[in-house]
Amino acid sequence: MANSSSITHFLLLPFPGTWQLQLLHFCLFLAIYLAALLGNGLIITTIAWDHHLHTPMYFFLLNLALLDLGAISTTVPKSMDNSLWDTRDISYAGCVLQVFFLVFLMSAEYFLLTTMSYDRYVAICRPLHYETLLDSRVCLHLAAAVWACGFLYALLHTANTFSLPLCQGNALHQFFCEIPQILKLSCSTSYLRELWLIVASVCLLFACFVFIVVSYVQIFRAVLRIHSQQGRHKAFATCLPHLAVVSLFLSTVMFAYLKPSSISSPSLDLVVAVLYSVVPPAVNPLIYSLRNQELKAALSKQIPGCFQKQ
């Protein structure tokens, strides 16, 4: 039996198989990681460089790209390093930092997606008041609140999780440090304190979800009242990428944390973890660049021939 004071490192879940399969995992994660770096990096530099994109929608998109870069950089490089050197170790401090930054960045992303739904609501439903309700000062305050709330949320969860006594060893059944896996190592009754915090968090996240749903109900009602087909197409083009990103984020996270224990297995948990922590940061830039004509035009200026019509 081990307790939290004697644990100096954790053992992450290894990707099973031969050295060739380990190398394949390394190459696959490397390709996804490079795609996320390239896609989000292009979005960040394009929005910062093109003054035509200095609007609230693109300001929030730039913040989303920053959060995506941070989130995927928290988990994937360590997993690639372990596969390359055929090891499972992560230090206690490294695990604490990984939990903190992952919760910080993912919760901030969720709060940001909620803020972005408000941006789209004001743009579509109250266009005459858009510049007043979302001027540069308001946008900065909203972004600062998103990052601050994510930071405090992560600090609370991380401090509470690692204050629990750990009595079930140090092996985590995941390729990164994840709160549910750490709670499985806690003593029989000590995890209840974190469980109540998780319940309170679910209530907060559900309130954000309701806000997003109500916003989009109002948005779609307003879009359907637009008589111009071109106007409807433009409205949908700016809203659908955000809705797709929200759907991808929520579906993968909710399935990861709310799936019945009866269908849980190490392989399924691994696949679901990849879906919610690795895939969204890599595909979000693609989702936004496919339908957004302004972003495609700005990207084509940076990369000659990029997104040009055939």
Side-chain angles (χ1 to χ4, degrees):
M1 300 285 279
N3 57 51
S4 53
S5 62
S6 64
I7 293 177
T8 59
H9 67 282
F10 291 94
L11 298 176
L12 299 176
L13 179 71
F15 282 83
T18 62
W19 163 245
Q20 288 79 8
L21 289 176
Q22 297 267 3
L23 188 60
L24 178 62
H25 156 248
F26 172 83
C27 294
L28 180 61
F29 266 31
L30 178 62
I32 295 174
Y33 187 54
L34 291 177
L37 289 179
L38 177 63
N40 288 290
L42 276 174
I43 284 182
I44 292 169
T45 55
T46 300
I47 293 175
W49 168 77
D50 195 325
H51 70 277
H52 293 103
L53 302 182
H54 292 177
T55 63
M57 183 178 78
Y58 294 107
F59 171 73
F60 293 132
L61 180 56
L62 183 146
N63 279 265
L64 179 65
L66 288 171
L67 290 170
D68 280 338
L69 275 181
I72 198 170
S73 297
T74 300
T75 57
V76 169
K78 178 60 179 175
S79 180
M80 291 192 300
D81 179 71
N82 283 358
S83 289
L84 190 61
W85 300 109
D86 194 21
T87 182
R88 299 175 57 189
D89 289 1
I90 183 171
S91 67
Y92 187 90
C95 191
V96 172
L97 289 174
Q98 199 172 63
V99 167
F100 172 77
F101 280 107
L102 188 63
V103 175
F104 166 38
L105 295 164
M106 294 197 69
S107 59
E109 180 164 338
Y110 186 56
F111 297 142
L112 180 64
L113 290 173
T114 305
T115 304
M116 292 172 76
S117 69
Y118 173 70
D119 166 69
R120 291 298 83 208
Y121 164 77
V122 176
I124 302 298
C125 300
R126 305 186 66 182
L128 297 179
H129 302 278
Y130 186 66
E131 292 185 0
T132 304
L133 294 174
L134 283 169
D135 59 19
S136 58
R137 184 178 180 182
V138 172
C139 290
L140 286 173
H141 287 170
L142 287 173
V146 162
W147 287 84
C149 288
F151 179 85
L152 294 174
Y153 182 82
L155 189 63
L156 184 61
H157 268 294
T158 305
N160 199 44
T161 298
F162 286 95
S163 67
L164 301 175
L166 306 180
C167 310
Q168 309 295 327
N170 67 338
L172 302 175
H173 298 289
Q174 193 52 271
F175 70 94
F176 59 90
C177 289
E178 187 182 44
I179 287 180
Q181 298 299 328
I182 296 172
L183 292 181
K184 292 180 181 179
L185 304 180
S186 64
C187 301
S188 56
T189 58
S190 61
Y191 70 92
L192 292 176
R193 186 173 58 191
E194 173 65 13
L195 192 61
W196 281 111
L197 184 56
I198 290 175
V199 170
S201 301
V202 169
C203 295
L204 172 63
L205 299 178
F206 181 72
C208 293
F209 174 74
V210 170
F211 182 87
I212 292 172
V213 171
V214 171
S215 296
Y216 268 95
V217 168
Q218 298 299 319
I219 287 170
F220 287 132
R221 289 177 60 186
V223 169
L224 292 176
R225 289 197 296 266
I226 298 176
H227 299 292
S228 166
Q229 184 175 357
Q230 184 179 3
R232 284 198 301 268
H233 176 77
K234 184 177 180 180
F236 276 124
T238 59
C239 292
L240 290 181
H242 174 256
L243 192 58
V245 169
V246 170
S247 301
L248 177 64
F249 182 87
L250 288 180
S251 60
T252 53
V253 171
M254 289 176 67
F255 183 74
Y257 288 95
L258 300 180
K259 68 181 184 298
S261 57
S262 59
I263 66 170
S264 181
S265 67
S267 57
L268 180 61
D269 290 344
L270 177 63
V271 171
V272 171
V274 171
L275 286 177
Y276 86 79
S277 65
V278 177
V279 173
V283 302
N284 284 352
L286 183 63
I287 292 174
Y288 269 100
S289 61
L290 280 178
R291 293 186 60 88
N292 192 304
Q293 297 299 325
E294 291 180 330
L295 188 58
K296 286 162 66 174
L299 281 170
S300 66
K301 295 177 185 177
Q302 282 200 320
I303 307 176
C306 181
F307 296 113
Q308 286 186 350
K309 293 183 178 180
Q310 301 297 326

